[in-house]
Amino acid sequence: MTPAIPRLSSHLDETDVDGYLVDAAGDDSTQYYLSGYHAPDEFVTLYADGAVAVLVSPLEYTRAKTDSDADDVRNYAEFGYREKAARMDPRRAQKLVTVEFLADYGVESVAVPVSFPTGTADLLREHGVAVTADFDYVVADEVRAVKSDRELEHVRQTQQANEVALAEVEGLLERASVADGVLHLDGDVLTSERVRRRIERTLLEEDCAMDQCIVASGPSAARAHDSGSGPLEADVPIVVDVFPRHKETRYFGDVTRTFVKGEPTDQVEEWYDRTVEAYEAALDAIEAGVSGAAVNDAVCDVFEDAGYPTLRTHDSPEDGFFHSTGHGVGLDVHEAPYLAENAGDLEAGHVVTVEPGLYEQGTGGVRLEDLVVVTEDGYENLTDYPRDLRVV
Amino acid sequence: MTPAIPRLSSHLDETDVDGYLVDAAGDDSTQYYLSGYHAPDEFVTLYADGAVAVLVSPLEYTRAKTDSDADDVRNYAEFGYREKAARMDPRRAQKLVTVEFLADYGVESVAVPVSFPTGTADLLREHGVAVTADFDYVVADEVRAVKSDRELEHVRQTQQANEVALAEVEGLLERASVADGVLHLDGDVLTSERVRRRIERTLLEEDCAMDQCIVASGPSAARAHDSGSGPLEADVPIVVDVFPRHKETRYFGDVTRTFVKGEPTDQVEEWYDRTVEAYEAALDAIEAGVSGAAVNDAVCDVFEDAGYPTLRTHDSPEDGFFHSTGHGVGLDVHEAPYLAENAGDLEAGHVVTVEPGLYEQGTGGVRLEDLVVVTEDGYENLTDYPRDLRVV
């Protein structure tokens, strides 16, 4: 049984709708948050009158009854699914079953996530249910963004796995030798791919899975979300950005360190010093009641004062600080709140990355990222890993 | 550059809409299929006039230009994103940018996947764009379901990784000893969790990642999608169902074998014999032009003749054959076409699982699953792994 969610209940009261409805893939984070259930296939979750009901296929029914936190588990079969599926595409029949499921709970109007399926919304509307896409993002911004102690433990646990992975990477870099400007280890060239595989294997031992991670040196470090490939070079920054999900709890962690094996150039040392300064400015700014925009401004101030472009000074900069300062982390790796232009106020319990960086297309870049939880009078850092640039 | 997709173009012509629009998470399969692009964050893909355009955030722009297959890569910044985001929630501003993006291509009406975000659909409609949820599932059923030779190679590669993992599991079971009815290996109890981790590590070496997999013995084998936990028992069936995704190609494989370490009961032998019979009946039935329903009927006939409940005889059976015969596999692990009641005709190039099984709640179950590609006059099995129940 899930406890009622006061912020969601009062939002529904204020906007005068009967329920909050999710119809999503079985791995959708909001659905998991509300139902405690995770499945290979789509299902439906309704929050109404302070209770949660899920609607699943017959195939999921047995497991959902024992594994979900829902107060009620209902089955397509109860709502004439078979008879409908004989008349129309079974996927459309599934959506129509949702109409009857809502009627069974007396729900005539629903708020839905912005991402709610248009196909379902249109069918519900055809059948007289009022459907409003929630552009207030109440579940994402007000409910999920504020973590409980148990959720903080989950994030902390994944972040600790990240630290184990970083230590593993730093060990590889320490043991590596340099020949022709390229790193070698145990008789082979040390590549992005090889380090990435080692990270993944390490995370697996910590019960974490990663979809992607970044191990990028040279120009690829300056391309946002470039994973990096090929031999790692000496004397240039290697950006290592790891953001796995714990396989049991499903909570993410997120960390970045930049390493130079050998001698960084003066330019890179300067980039890194400014990045550390910006990182410290962000942390100094963070506390409950301060806006995410103000934290981002603190970072941009540092970079702009040193002459680098930011998103405040340029519409779409390719060099300098071309991204925002941070984002929330939880059941999604990118979620509310945001440390970015126009972003709203931080609350105690928000978990955010702080990840300033400086880049130059064609050359490379540096980034430093910790994960912190906002408190009433500041923050607690969930990350405990050294920030040294040079690997000896 | 992506080649035009004749089936999609003619569907748009027939339904008299200008384009097909996707607005989804960066890992959405239809979006990846159309754009060849995979990102951590949401983006937008438009198919119109036989060409593909993507709309990405400034952060993704540099990488999307080089990594995507799109004919055109556009950037929020081109459509006044910053000015909009200063006036409203940036996530709403992103959706509004899509309105201008469509206008730039002269697109006034779009078909969208059923899963298309309601929030985006509502905003587009407010701005005069006609949005129709495509309940014909044209991209899923007609385009993505029919695999090219290159896609078949991708599926085959993942399925081969599955076979390596199964061999690893069977090796563990062979080497295991039995004490007090429970399997032991290398001095420790052999658990579902331990085998699952070995599978994951093996798949990782094959460049594949799994979110979940099933290693279930005893009653948990009878609960659909139960992953299994705790010590593996001797003399009872252990269902091993593995469905990883290749990390580079993003195509899935899917295979199931059932193993008994020791002596199966007569009941389990009978279940397995009937399951093999049903599996062979399904394969005999498969060819282009035959309906997925007919293949499913062939399996249900075998089970019903032997006295077991199926979805044809019971609305929501918990015992017997309580699921359908199979599903498509590609960029999603469950996709069109389906081998199930009311399912439509198979085409050459469809990739489907064939996975009959028999179960009894409280006792356990058996399942056998291969992955095959439909051909004009039959099928080619993409799976090459023995189907022996007993592990000596």
Side-chain angles (χ1 to χ4, degrees):
Chain A
M1 195 168 116
T2 40
I5 303 167
R7 289 203 196 195
L8 182 51
S9 292
S10 62
H11 182 84
L12 296 177
D13 285 348
E14 282 159 24
T15 53
D16 197 25
V17 297
D18 297 337
Y20 187 86
L21 186 68
V22 182
D23 172 16
D27 62 352
D28 179 83
S29 296
T30 288
Q31 182 134 271
Y32 180 71
Y33 185 90
L34 294 176
S35 69
Y37 194 57
H38 170 240
D41 290 316
E42 289 183 0
F43 66 102
V44 167
T45 300
L46 171 69
Y47 178 88
D49 293 325
V52 172
V54 298
L55 173 65
V56 301
S57 75
L59 195 58
E60 291 289 339
Y61 187 59
T62 308
R63 195 170 65 94
K65 278 191 295 185
T66 53
D67 287 8
S68 86
D69 297 332
D71 301 270
D72 249 0
V73 177
R74 309 296 293 271
N75 182 338
Y76 295 165
E78 296 177 54
F79 300 103
Y81 169 70
R82 263 196 87 199
E83 172 269 321
K84 289 181 181 65
R87 286 189 285 116
M88 66 185 76
D89 189 291
R91 290 162 292 186
R92 188 182 180 112
Q94 284 175 23
K95 305 295 187 198
L96 272 182
V97 160
T98 306
V99 175
E100 297 191 23
F101 166 75
L102 289 182
D104 201 59
Y105 287 90
V107 167
E108 293 173 354
S109 56
V110 287
V112 299
V114 170
S115 62
F116 188 85
T118 297
T120 312
D122 286 354
L123 281 183
L124 291 175
R125 286 164 176 165
E126 275 173 32
H127 287 82
V129 179
V131 179
T132 313
D134 174 34
F135 272 108
D136 294 329
Y137 295 91
V138 60
V139 174
D141 290 9
E142 296 189 33
V143 179
R144 281 180 47 196
V146 180
K147 269 66 178 177
S148 68
D149 288 346
R150 196 171 68 108
E151 290 181 287
L152 288 177
E153 268 320 298
H154 293 335
V155 174
R156 196 187 303 269
Q157 182 184 24
T158 311
Q159 192 70 345
Q160 281 166 356
N162 271 342
E163 292 163 19
V164 175
L166 281 179
E168 187 76 21
V169 172
E170 205 166 352
L172 294 179
L173 298 180
E174 279 168 9
R175 287 168 45 221
S177 58
V178 178
D180 297 329
V182 166
L183 306 197
H184 288 70
L185 186 65
D186 301 333
D188 277 318
V189 171
L190 190 60
T191 60
S192 290
E193 291 83 352
R194 201 173 145 196
V195 174
R196 198 148 51 225
R197 181 162 292 189
R198 180 68 74 99
I199 292 172
E200 186 159 30
R201 212 180 294 154
T202 304
L203 290 170
L204 194 54
E205 296 301 317
E206 306 287 325
D207 287 320
C208 292
M210 52 168 246
D211 181 25
Q212 303 183 299
C213 85
I214 294 172
V215 180
S217 75
S220 65
R223 299 205 311 160
H225 299 157
D226 187 318
S227 304
S229 61
L232 294 173
E233 287 169 64
D235 307 323
V236 305
I238 303 168
V239 172
V240 180
D241 188 346
V242 192
F243 41 93
R245 158 179 253 162
H246 195 279
K247 292 171 78 74
E248 285 300 312
T249 70
R250 303 192 62 75
Y251 281 79
F252 281 89
D254 196 353
V255 74
T256 305
R257 287 295 180 270
T258 302
F259 302 113
V260 175
K261 171 79 178 184
E263 284 295 326
T265 63
D266 289 350
Q267 185 193 40
V268 166
E269 295 242 29
E270 160 65 15
W271 286 352
Y272 198 69
D273 289 346
R274 287 296 77 69
T275 296
V276 172
E277 189 185 334
Y279 157 91
E280 286 167 351
L283 290 180
D284 283 348
I286 288 178
E287 66 179 349
V290 168
S291 74
V295 178
N296 187 59
D297 281 339
V299 166
C300 290
D301 286 346
V302 171
F303 287 141
E304 289 168 20
D305 286 352
Y308 298 102
T310 74
L311 281 167
R312 293 195 313 195
T313 61
H314 292 68
D315 236 16
S316 192
E318 298 210 329
D319 299 327
F321 178 51
F322 58 61
H323 53 77
S324 301
T325 297
H327 54 83
V329 171
L331 286 169
D332 285 320
V333 66
H334 287 166
E335 61 175 42
Y338 303 92
L339 305 181
E341 269 193 285
N342 309 307
D345 286 355
L346 295 174
E347 287 186 51
H350 280 170
V351 169
V352 289
T353 66
V354 173
E355 48 178 314
L358 285 173
Y359 315 88
E360 188 176 270
Q361 295 306 316
T363 307
V366 304
R367 181 164 65 253
L368 172 61
E369 176 185 32
D370 277 359
L371 191 56
V372 309
V373 53
V374 179
T375 61
E376 288 300 345
D377 55 0
Y379 67 92
E380 181 197 346
N381 200 329
L382 301 175
T383 324
D384 181 22
Y385 197 86
R387 299 190 298 272
D388 304 317
L389 179 64
R390 293 168 69 164
V391 177
V392 187
Chain B
M1 196 168 114
T2 39
I5 303 168
R7 290 203 195 196
L8 181 52
S9 292
S10 61
H11 182 85
L12 297 177
D13 285 347
E14 283 160 24
T15 53
D16 198 24
V17 298
D18 298 339
Y20 187 85
L21 186 69
V22 183
D23 172 16
D27 62 353
D28 179 83
S29 297
T30 288
Q31 182 133 270
Y32 180 72
Y33 185 91
L34 294 174
S35 68
Y37 193 57
H38 172 237
D41 289 315
E42 289 184 1
F43 66 102
V44 168
T45 299
L46 172 69
Y47 179 88
D49 292 327
V52 172
V54 298
L55 172 66
V56 301
S57 75
L59 195 59
E60 292 289 338
Y61 187 59
T62 309
R63 194 171 65 94
K65 277 191 294 187
T66 54
D67 288 7
S68 86
D69 298 330
D71 302 271
D72 248 1
V73 177
R74 309 295 294 272
N75 182 338
Y76 295 165
E78 295 177 57
F79 301 103
Y81 169 70
R82 262 196 87 199
E83 173 267 320
K84 288 180 183 65
R87 287 189 284 115
M88 66 185 77
D89 188 291
R91 291 162 290 185
R92 189 182 178 112
Q94 284 176 22
K95 305 295 186 198
L96 273 181
V97 160
T98 306
V99 175
E100 296 191 23
F101 166 76
L102 289 182
D104 202 59
Y105 287 90
V107 167
E108 293 173 356
S109 56
V110 287
V112 300
V114 170
S115 62
F116 188 85
T118 297
T120 312
D122 287 353
L123 281 182
L124 291 174
R125 286 165 176 165
E126 275 172 33
H127 287 80
V129 178
V131 178
T132 313
D134 173 33
F135 272 107
D136 294 330
Y137 295 92
V138 60
V139 175
D141 291 7
E142 295 188 33
V143 178
R144 281 180 47 196
V146 180
K147 270 66 179 178
S148 68
D149 288 346
R150 197 172 66 108
E151 290 182 285
L152 288 178
E153 267 321 298
H154 294 335
V155 174
R156 198 186 303 271
Q157 183 183 24
T158 310
Q159 191 71 345
Q160 282 165 356
N162 271 342
E163 292 163 19
V164 175
L166 281 180
E168 188 75 22
V169 173
E170 206 168 348
L172 294 179
L173 298 180
E174 279 166 9
R175 287 169 45 224
S177 57
V178 178
D180 297 328
V182 166
L183 305 198
H184 289 71
L185 186 66
D186 301 333
D188 277 319
V189 171
L190 190 60
T191 60
S192 290
E193 291 83 353
R194 202 173 146 198
V195 174
R196 198 147 52 226
R197 181 163 291 187
R198 180 68 74 97
I199 292 172
E200 185 158 31
R201 212 179 292 152
T202 303
L203 290 171
L204 194 54
E205 296 302 318
E206 305 288 324
D207 287 321
C208 292
M210 53 167 247
D211 182 23
Q212 302 184 300
C213 84
I214 294 173
V215 181
S217 75
S220 65
R223 299 204 312 160
H225 298 157
D226 187 318
S227 303
S229 61
L232 294 173
E233 288 170 62
D235 308 322
V236 304
I238 303 168
V239 172
V240 181
D241 187 347
V242 193
F243 40 95
R245 158 177 252 161
H246 194 279
K247 291 169 77 77
E248 284 303 312
T249 70
R250 303 191 62 75
Y251 282 80
F252 282 89
D254 197 351
V255 75
T256 305
R257 288 294 180 269
T258 301
F259 301 112
V260 175
K261 172 77 178 184
E263 285 295 326
T265 62
D266 289 349
Q267 185 194 40
V268 165
E269 295 242 29
E270 160 65 16
W271 286 352
Y272 198 67
D273 288 346
R274 289 295 78 69
T275 297
V276 171
E277 190 186 333
Y279 157 92
E280 286 167 352
L283 291 180
D284 283 349
I286 289 178
E287 67 179 349
V290 167
S291 74
V295 178
N296 188 58
D297 282 339
V299 166
C300 290
D301 286 347
V302 170
F303 287 142
E304 289 167 20
D305 286 351
Y308 298 102
T310 74
L311 282 166
R312 292 195 315 195
T313 62
H314 292 69
D315 237 16
S316 193
E318 299 211 328
D319 300 326
F321 179 51
F322 58 61
H323 53 77
S324 302
T325 297
H327 54 83
V329 171
L331 286 170
D332 286 319
V333 67
H334 287 167
E335 61 176 42
Y338 303 92
L339 305 182
E341 270 192 284
N342 309 308
D345 286 354
L346 296 173
E347 287 187 51
H350 280 170
V351 169
V352 289
T353 67
V354 173
E355 48 176 315
L358 285 173
Y359 314 87
E360 188 176 272
Q361 295 307 316
T363 307
V366 305
R367 183 165 64 254
L368 171 63
E369 176 185 31
D370 276 1
L371 191 57
V372 309
V373 52
V374 179
T375 60
E376 288 301 344
D377 54 1
Y379 67 93
E380 182 197 344
N381 201 328
L382 301 174
T383 324
D384 180 21
Y385 197 86
R387 299 191 299 270
D388 303 317
L389 178 64
R390 292 167 72 163
V391 176
V392 186

